[in-house]
Amino acid sequence: MAKMIGVDLDDVLMACNEAICIWHNANHGTSYTKNDVFSYEFNRVWGCTTEEALARVREFFHSEEHFCALPVMGAVSGLRFLGEENIHIITARPLTVSGLTTRWLEKHFPDMVGRIHFVGKEEGDCHHQTTKPEICKSLGIEIFVDDALVHARGVAATGIPVLLFDNPWNQVDELPKNVERVYSWDEIIEKLQ
């Protein structure tokens, strides 16, 4: 029987930070690249308040740059190879952008639309209270792929192994127990076979 696999959306399936840099540069006169995104917290990268960073990200979700974001190299063929029926997308995005997210998924991963779980919260979103570790446990996920160290730590703490997709914002001297760094979808497939 194939393993149940959980995958994050942003920067695991969608090249989100590349797209948000393009959007931010066009709308805020900056010249960021993905390599400039040293933190998962955009307010630290952009030098603004947390509230302003959240407002900018919300604006990005509604932009053409978001809809035109490309899949991470190898993600489309990787999911097909692994067998989409055993994969669940578990994202920290809030439910408020589920329609925009689904629109993008329909374009690039049409078979995955019904297998996405939103765990993110926005201000005033008090009915949606869950976490990536809780979703992974409830779905019986046996291995999880993410790019955010905070989520990797949480899922790994439940005993579920995590493959951490290497990115500038997740560099640390030592990875937590049950977390292993990966550099490509080819490597993910190799480890999951």
Side-chain angles (χ1 to χ4, degrees), residues 89-154:
I89 299 171
I90 304 167
T91 180
R93 287 183 175 201
L95 278 171
T96 53
V97 297
S98 63
L100 299 166
T101 304
T102 298
R103 184 174 162 225
W104 186 86
L105 282 172
E106 285 171 343
K107 181 177 177 184
H108 299 285
F109 298 91
D111 294 334
M112 296 304 299
V113 169
R115 303 179 73 78
I116 185 164
H117 309 270
F118 295 86
V119 299
K121 286 184 61 171
E122 280 195 345
E123 190 175 327
D125 185 13
C126 50
H127 68 280
H128 186 65
Q129 309 232 350
T130 192
T131 65
K132 285 188 179 186
E134 290 169 345
I135 292 287
C136 285
K137 283 298 216 184
S138 71
L139 294 171
I141 298 299
E142 297 171 80
I143 193 156
F144 188 63
V145 183
D146 206 322
D147 67 299
L149 197 53
V150 64
H151 298 302
R153 278 189 181 114

Side-chain angles (χ1 to χ4, degrees), residues 25-143:
N25 294 341
N27 289 279
H28 295 277
T30 54
S31 58
Y32 293 115
T33 68
K34 176 182 163 182
N35 290 332
D36 296 316
V37 183
F38 63 88
S39 173
Y40 189 68
E41 300 167 345
F42 283 122
N43 58 302
R44 293 181 59 211
V45 176
W46 296 334
C48 63
T49 66
T50 300
E51 294 75 20
E52 177 62 22
L54 290 172
R56 290 179 191 183
V57 171
R58 281 192 296 271
E59 192 177 332
F60 163 71
F61 283 141
H62 293 273
S63 73
E64 191 63 24
E65 287 86 353
H66 173 267
F67 183 68
C68 292
L70 297 173
V72 168
M73 185 180 298
V76 173
S77 58
L79 259 59
R80 282 193 192 119
F81 181 82
L82 293 171
E84 293 161 331
E85 68 277 357
N86 300 319
I87 299 171
H88 288 269
I89 299 171
I90 304 167
T91 180
R93 287 183 175 201
L95 278 171
T96 53
V97 297
S98 63
L100 299 166
T101 304
T102 298
R103 184 174 162 225
W104 186 86
L105 282 172
E106 285 171 343
K107 181 177 177 184
H108 299 285
F109 298 91
D111 294 334
M112 296 304 299
V113 169
R115 303 179 73 78
I116 185 164
H117 309 270
F118 295 86
V119 299
K121 286 184 61 171
E122 280 195 345
E123 190 175 327
D125 185 13
C126 50
H127 68 280
H128 186 65
Q129 309 232 350
T130 192
T131 65
K132 285 188 179 186
E134 290 169 345
I135 292 287
C136 285
K137 283 298 216 184
S138 71
L139 294 171
I141 298 299
E142 297 171 80
I143 193 156

